[in-house]
């Protein structure tokens, strides 16, 4: 790979992904930290996300494990090395000079997927070119938002298709949000966005239907929490859903994703592939998500922490720690393949 | 408007209404702070009010929003710009020299309603005259308590009617309370109350029936929590109820209003217009209240904080912050009009 | 009354009974404080008692109150001014030189009852003589434990009968307990106990039947928590039960009395008069207890705090604060008489 | 007994087993403390174990006790003085120079059982020889793990049989775990393990069936939490189960043992003898475990704390404190024999 950033030293004494948080906070400038760490309102939903995973207990199974657990995960008809993806996060060069390029390389190194934000601070083609050929990488998806002008939206779609992205992730929960002023350093910007970007102020399900008809790539919706919305998405033939409350950054008081996930799985789990994000920071969190009906998960702030501390090496380390914890936890729960995780791991009398 | 107080500068760095609290505490004299902030007993109910709103989660809906949300609210046959009213609070000149005049102007500026306390420290007619002609204002209501002498009560009613108030809010939960000694500064007093006021020691439903028959204005009861009382009120033909525990100032241990609201809505929600107060301090709190069956809400201490910090400008800022949060949260929940909020936002499988 | 101790000054700034706690801790010698404040194990049950009352909410009723609430309480066929009694506590002269005499006078002054401990540090006859003739006093009961020798037990009974006590309270939960070493000052001792006392190591229901047959006074059992024990007591014809876990001093982990009370009331509430203690420190706590099926309550540590701070005056003040809070709370809940309190105050849909 | 270590002085002021914790932490080297105290991940399961016992309430019964409670416990056809056993813990010479020898002597002195870890730092025969002849001792069991080589496993089994151990405890939850590096002092090592030990990477139920067929001693499985695994164990004819999550050291997020115990008891309580460990540190904890279906309990860290502070005397003191608390609590709950404890002590309407 050309342009691979040099590997930086990791902070000492790291045992879990969560250990990176304090290091990242110490290292980032206050404004950048506030930007990535921020939550809406009083942070009720950000806290609830975390607490909801912690409140779930696992009922492990004994004497069933294989020496190694199969972490491979099928998404949209293709099988990948793990169920981990990096969540779309804007302006990653605020965290580290290598920005999204480092994150994508880290993901590829660890068999994790990359969902590039429309607000990427590194060109989408640069990111894709750096990792597309990596044989053991995960999925390479592109996140977009509906712009007011359908032509401009479609141009984003075509650029993503041309750059080799494999699916489109349409964010549906952030079209309406409180303004969060951010003074960008000169050298960091949203390089894929038209200037100034004119986001659609109130996109609708018709826009989703239009986009789905236009796009040559599979379309997932990110930000669905309500079973009714999940059913509507299923009717429109989208490929999958990412259950998300945007990490608690949009609507303070929104339900925790660990609470919404089983409700959505009940509604459309047989029809759509489901992913989830929000508050996941360990392999046991990931296993709980899989048990409740997610096929894969998106990791956000923890990857950012790693990126901020040590660029690609840090982000890769975070993904590696979580992947190893997942493999261990899955084995401890008697799984030979994570594809067999069911709610019975959490509700032992449900099956 | 004649007599409009000059706008004062706002405290720096305010993001939410709650940010005003610390500023107000720092600015008010200890006794005034204690008076407004006070709670009965150990503050169990004051704390429960707040915790009960926080414990409710919203299940937002996507891709249904209009660019702007219709906040208009119909109360007692008339449509107003928002579902926000300022709760009746006594002796507001203890918080700011402009007192209730400033609060009423702030409410009128923000399309919110004003419920003037019988214990107002500015003449009721002065307050009404200052805002009545404001075209975009909210409702202008007068709070009263039953005095021992029905003639004296009726005189209060007639004065309120004559001054242009549009409804009467009879407080029914504060006739019995622990004494709370308060040494008033010379220049602050309850200008509408006879001296000394002789409150009815034990008013009854008969008194309500009498008042309703006498009053030319619609009558609401403030302080109802129990579904049985709500049914009784409905039988007597009152116009509406304000579910309230007086901000936890009367009976420590009284149920949180967010708990009582749905029980009252179950009992009489089809018959009476319901409002609620107690612990609401953000737009998401307001949206939760509307979802559980309230048509509008009363805001108390947060408006006082704004008043204490910057007079009319501070109170208006608080109301504006909450209104904007409400509009944003409603849109994020897929509402085009807050009139369509239902319990399904909180219990997604209930509909 | 001869021998009435002089009234001492009260600590400043007292608003609730709980405010006495810090004063008492500051005033008592460490060993005495530890003795009265002590709990078994890690204090789980002592904490649970308190938390269980706090967790109950009241659903007040409006517009039903009389100007004054009838607090009179019928116990064992006789009507008393209030439902408050002082719990039997040993060796009160460790808290104040006047000991049980002061406590009994305080109770009599406030229309509350006195349950004298078998381990009283003032002679039972002295206590009874000081208050028996007080016209507005509450019940005067004597607490006893079964001694190994039935003759010795009977002698205690006869002495209590002769001194004018009106009922016997047999403690059934403290026969087995961890030793709690206590070095008594020379001038303080258990003046009614034989030296050394030989408590029955394992009393039985047969002993209760025997005692009931022997005693000329009504017999109550103190320390029952389990509905099965309550049924057994009812079969044996005892006059009443005091639901108690000994203030958390005996079995750490025992159920909170607010949890046990409704279970016992379900089992025998129509057959036996029920009282409760444990963690009650305010009038709203008392009202909750009455709503859940208690006819009266015993107050322990709070009375001790008052006694420690200001002798009879302090104990009386504590009882007065709680009585006034009870009257106020009952009125706020729409009661004209506390005898009409039902579980509907706590579970508004239960009736 | 030859080789009995001299008794060391106990720390001052100890009232409960938990009081030893701070003393042990102060006395042990940081690495040894970390080794014994450690938990997986963020310690969620270690904390949940403790909290789950605390959350259970006892409903004591009165007037049924005998002066002394029969603590005798039948396990695998033989009756022992108490239901307490020392949990298998590795490398106890890291805590005290006398290591497992001291612990076993302490257990024997107190009528408690000893489960020797395969990773013992004192020879298994030495331990067994020191206590086997003690008339009032508890059971003497040997914990083992499956090694990759069945012959090596069998050699362990035969050595345990030859040394006089009375049952085999196969740990089934620790075959897969995160590495926990530990630099051993020169003089401490796992003396019974082949060097280097080659643990079976993924043992199966077939291995259990094989071991059961080979072993002349009864076989218990330690680490079962899920009712489905309990049923499988029952089908294979094991003698008993130890419900355990390894003290929260293996899978962070695993269900608390107090939660798993009744589920397992529902599934196989009539077929297999059940024991439990995890977070138990007092006699009331033990009684709750017995009430929920355990026949006996294993005590881990608390015994270690005692060992670290005062060798055999400290470990014995811990066991004695817990045994005495158990006897007292059982009597307070009206039991004449702990064998009659049922869930009715915790759910008083269940029987």
């Amino acid at each position: 790979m050309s342009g691979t950033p040099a590997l930086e030293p990791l902070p000492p004494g790291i045992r879990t992904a969560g250990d990176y948080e304090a290091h990242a906070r110490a290292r980032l400038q206050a404004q950048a930290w506030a930007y990535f760490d921020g939550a809406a309102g009083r942070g009720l939903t950000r806290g609830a996300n975390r607490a909801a995973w912690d409140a779930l207990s696992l009922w492990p199974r004994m004497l069933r494990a294989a020496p190694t657990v199969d972490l491979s995960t099928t998404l949209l008809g293709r099988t990948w090395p793990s169920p981990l993806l990096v969540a779309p996060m804007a302006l990653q060069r605020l965290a580290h000079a290598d920005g999204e390029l480092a994150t994508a390389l880290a993901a590829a190194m660890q068999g994790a997927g990359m969902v590039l934000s429309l607000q990427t601070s590194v060109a989408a083609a640069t990111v894709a070119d750096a990792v597309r050929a990596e044989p053991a990488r995960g999925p390479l998806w592109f996140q977009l938002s509906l712009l007011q002008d359908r032509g401009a939206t479609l141009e984003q779609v075509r650029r993503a298709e041309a750059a080799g992205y494999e699916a489109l992730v349409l964010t549906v929960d952030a079209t309406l949000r409180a303004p969060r002023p951010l003074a960008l350093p000169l050298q960091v910007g949203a390089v894929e966005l038209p200037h100034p970007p004119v986001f659609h102020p109130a996109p609708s399900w018709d826009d989703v239907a239009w986009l789905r008809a236009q796009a040559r790539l599979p379309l997932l919706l990110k930000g669905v929490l309500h079973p009714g919305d999940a059913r509507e998405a299923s009717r429109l033939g989208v490929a999958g859903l990412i259950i998300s409350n945007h990490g608690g950054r949009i609507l303070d008081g929104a339900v925790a994703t660990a609470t919404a996930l089983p409700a959505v799985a009940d509604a459309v789990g047989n029809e759509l592939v489901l992913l989830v994000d929000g508050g996941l920071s360990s392999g046991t969190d990931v296993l709980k998500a899989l048990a409740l009906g997610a096929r894969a998960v998106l990791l956000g702030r923890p990857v950012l922490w790693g990126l901020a501390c040590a660029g690609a090496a840090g982000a890769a380390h975070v993904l590696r720690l979580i992947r190893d914890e997942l493999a261990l936890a899955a084995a401890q729960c008697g799984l030979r393949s994570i594809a067999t995780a069911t709610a019975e791991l959490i509700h032992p009398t449900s099956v």
Side-chain angles (χ1 to χ4, degrees), chain A residues 135-202:
Chain A
R137 69 169 170 89
L140 184 62
W141 295 356
F142 191 78
Q143 177 268 329
L144 73 161
S145 302
L146 287 160
L147 304 179
Q148 181 132 35
D149 179 59
R150 284 190 167 181
T153 303
L154 211 50
E155 191 187 317
Q156 300 285 357
V157 171
R158 296 301 173 233
R159 287 165 62 91
E161 291 170 347
Y165 289 86
E166 298 151 353
L168 299 173
V169 171
L170 180 68
T171 295
V172 297
D173 67 356
T175 55
L176 299 146
R177 63 189 296 171
R180 191 181 288 131
L182 177 68
L184 290 179
L186 274 183
Q187 72 280 19
V188 178
V191 298
E192 294 287 341
L193 268 184
H195 289 282
V198 182
F199 291 106
H200 195 310

Side-chain angles (χ1 to χ4, degrees), chain A residues 270-297:
Chain A
N270 294 327
E271 304 156 27
L272 294 181
V273 64
L274 303 181
L275 299 89
V276 69
D277 70 11
L280 298 129
S281 69
S282 72
T284 51
D285 293 339
V286 177
L287 184 59
K288 291 170 183 178
L290 302 181
L292 293 181
R295 182 77 59 82
V297 308

Side-chain angles (χ1 to χ4, degrees), chain A residues 64 75 81 86 95 124 165 169 185 188 197 214 222 234 238 274 325:
Chain A
R64 300 160 149 232
L75 290 172
V86 177
Y165 289 86
V169 171
V188 178
Q214 295 294 327
K222 174 168 177 287
S234 180
V238 307
L274 303 181
E325 289 166 350

Side-chain angles (χ1 to χ4, degrees), chain A residues 4 8 33 35 66-67 95 103 109 112 152 168 180 201 235 252 259 297 327:
Chain A
T4 305
E8 299 173 32
W33 173 259
Y35 176 70
T103 310
M109 280 187 250
L168 299 173
R180 191 181 288 131
R235 271 191 289 275
D252 198 29
T259 306
V297 308

